[in-house]
């Protein structure tokens, strides 16, 4: 992780905005070593407070893009500067566009049965030239893992999208970083459900006003319990500010 980050509750978050983050992705994708990109939101930073292994992994990442308005707010509250929210789905889409243009190849791992295939089909319908080397669902057991890694390495994709939910996807990428022969692995969570047409992106008015989380909550009320950590997060951020922790 480079110096272009702010630290929010001990997690480094990339602060240079979408375009610079994307330039970094291009650099990574052309490099000759394995790179990890994660897309933390507020809930994930709170998870990392309780799960030290997860926090360490987020600290080992090559880039954590801020996929949550709470992180943008936290940076402001702590006077760490204005950071731009980068939605994971937008970053994924830009990567797909780039792969379409440059002939870079991808593999999609994760989601329920049929989701990765459906996402691949829709991606191909949008980006005709994209080279999708393969897909695999995200409900595999430990015995299947080596088979999956072999499959990915045989297909030699440049970019690996991993959608196993957090913190599973980050832990999986980290655990297998020395086995995976890809340039970039990126945790994309629910973005593949959006690509598969199973969940919808919020209307622009919600996105632009920072209320995408509210739309997602209204559409999927079960998220409520997950989101209970957000007020707790803001409390912690103010506490740290006031007591200079
Ligand atoms: N997922 C998976 N394997 C698992 C757990 C989750 O493939 O063991 C998939 C899930 O089907 C979904 C994606 O991971 O497609 C993202 O899950 P979640 O809703 O937890 O993530 P978020 O919406 O926060 O990105």
């Amino acid at each position: 992780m480079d110096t272009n980050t702010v630290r929010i509750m001990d997690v480094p978050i990339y602060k240079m905005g979408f375009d610079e983050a994307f330039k970094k992705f291009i650099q990574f994708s052309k490099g000759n070593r394995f790179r990890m990109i994660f897309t933390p939101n507020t809930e994930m930073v709170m998870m990392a407070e309780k799960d030290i292994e997860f926090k360490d992994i987020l600290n080992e990442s090559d880039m954590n893009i801020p996929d949550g308005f709470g992180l943008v707010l936290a940076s402001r509250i702590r006077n760490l500067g204005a950071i731009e929210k980068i939605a994971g789905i937008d970053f994924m889409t830009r990567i797909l566009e780039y792969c379409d243009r440059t002939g870079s190849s991808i593999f999609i791992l994760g989601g329920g049965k049929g989701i990765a295939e459906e996402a691949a089909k829709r991606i191909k319908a949008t980006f005709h030239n994209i080279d999708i080397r393969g897909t695999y669902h995200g409900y595999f057991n430990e015995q299947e893992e080596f088979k999956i890694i072999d499959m990915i390495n045989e297909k030699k994709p440049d970019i690996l999208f991993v959608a196993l939910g957090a913190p599973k996807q980050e832990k999986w990428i980290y655990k297998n970083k020395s086995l995976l022969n890809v340039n970039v692995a990126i945790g994309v969570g629910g973005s593949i459900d959006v690509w598969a047409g199973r969940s919808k992106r919020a209307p622009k008015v919600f996105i632009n006003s920072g209320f995408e989380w509210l739309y997602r909550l209204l559409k999927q009320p079960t998220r409520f319990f997950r989101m209970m950590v957000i007020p707790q997060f803001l409390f912690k951020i103010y506490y740290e500010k006031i007591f200079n922790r």
Side-chain angles (χ1 to χ4, degrees):
M1 190 69 61
D2 59 37
T3 51
N4 296 329
T5 59
V6 291
R7 290 190 77 76
I8 296 179
M9 278 162 55
D10 271 338
V11 174
I13 303 289
Y14 191 71
K15 68 174 184 189
M16 307 302 284
F18 197 119
D19 291 339
E20 290 304 313
F22 197 72
K23 278 188 204 154
K24 235 173 157 26
F25 158 78
I26 295 176
Q27 232 177 309
F28 292 168
S29 73
K30 290 180 174 163
N32 50 10
R33 72 179 180 88
F34 180 83
R35 302 286 198 154
M36 301 179 282
I37 301 179
F38 299 137
T39 59
N41 58 18
T42 313
E43 290 131 279
M44 285 164 68
V45 169
M46 282 300 274
M47 262 180 219
E49 272 288 286
K50 297 214 175 90
D51 182 344
I52 296 306
E53 182 198 350
F54 185 37
K55 187 179 275 186
D56 288 346
I57 291 172
L58 290 173
N59 274 277
E60 291 282 319
S61 156
D62 293 288
M63 180 162 63
N64 293 323
I65 62 172
D67 184 9
F69 193 61
L71 302 180
V72 173
L73 263 182
S75 182
R76 262 191 234 157
I77 294 168
R78 296 295 322 261
N79 296 325
L80 299 171
I83 61 171
E84 183 188 341
K85 181 188 159 180
I86 303 175
I89 177 79
D90 293 335
F91 206 70
M92 177 175 177
T93 303
R94 183 94 168 256
I95 293 175
L96 295 171
E97 243 168 45
Y98 173 81
C99 292
D100 187 44
R101 229 174 338 106
T102 58
S104 307
S105 53
I106 66 165
F107 190 104
I108 305 170
L109 171 66
K113 289 242 160 70
I115 295 291
E117 284 99 315
E118 187 58 33
K121 222 191 281 167
R122 287 169 181 245
I123 288 168
K124 189 77 187 162
T126 309
F127 301 109
H128 306 298
N129 295 321
I130 200 160
D131 180 3
I132 304 178
R133 297 275 168 95
T135 60
Y136 203 90
H137 68 83
Y139 293 86
F140 48 83
N141 55 36
E142 267 187 57
Q143 285 84 3
E144 273 176 286
E145 273 197 41
F146 286 111
K147 187 183 99 184
I148 295 169
I149 291 167
D150 283 349
M151 184 195 297
I152 294 169
N153 289 340
E154 246 166 56
K155 308 251 177 184
K156 293 192 176 64
D158 299 307
I159 316 296
L160 172 64
F161 292 108
V162 184
L164 304 174
K168 199 169 169 186
Q169 60 205 5
E170 292 76 15
K171 288 184 178 178
W172 192 88
I173 291 172
Y174 184 75
K175 182 176 87 176
N176 295 307
K177 69 186 169 67
S178 59
L179 300 176
L180 287 165
N181 191 11
V182 302
N183 287 343
V184 179
I186 174 166
V188 290
S191 296
I192 70 154
D193 294 293
V194 176
W195 267 105
R198 298 300 167 99
S199 64
K200 268 210 162 65
R201 192 81 206 276
K204 283 242 155 41
V205 55
F206 283 87
I207 296 173
N208 296 338
S209 57
F211 281 96
E212 190 169 7
W213 60 270
L214 179 61
Y215 177 84
R216 295 180 77 185
L217 177 62
L218 294 172
K219 293 293 273 185
Q220 200 189 333
T222 51
R223 292 184 80 88
F224 180 76
F225 293 102
R226 276 166 61 168
M227 291 177 70
M228 287 291 279
V229 298
I230 294 175
Q232 217 177 318
F233 169 81
L234 289 174
F235 178 82
K236 262 181 130 30
I237 293 292
Y238 272 111
Y239 182 89
E240 284 177 358
K241 181 185 166 86
I242 293 164
F243 294 101
N244 215 5
R245 302 289 294 270

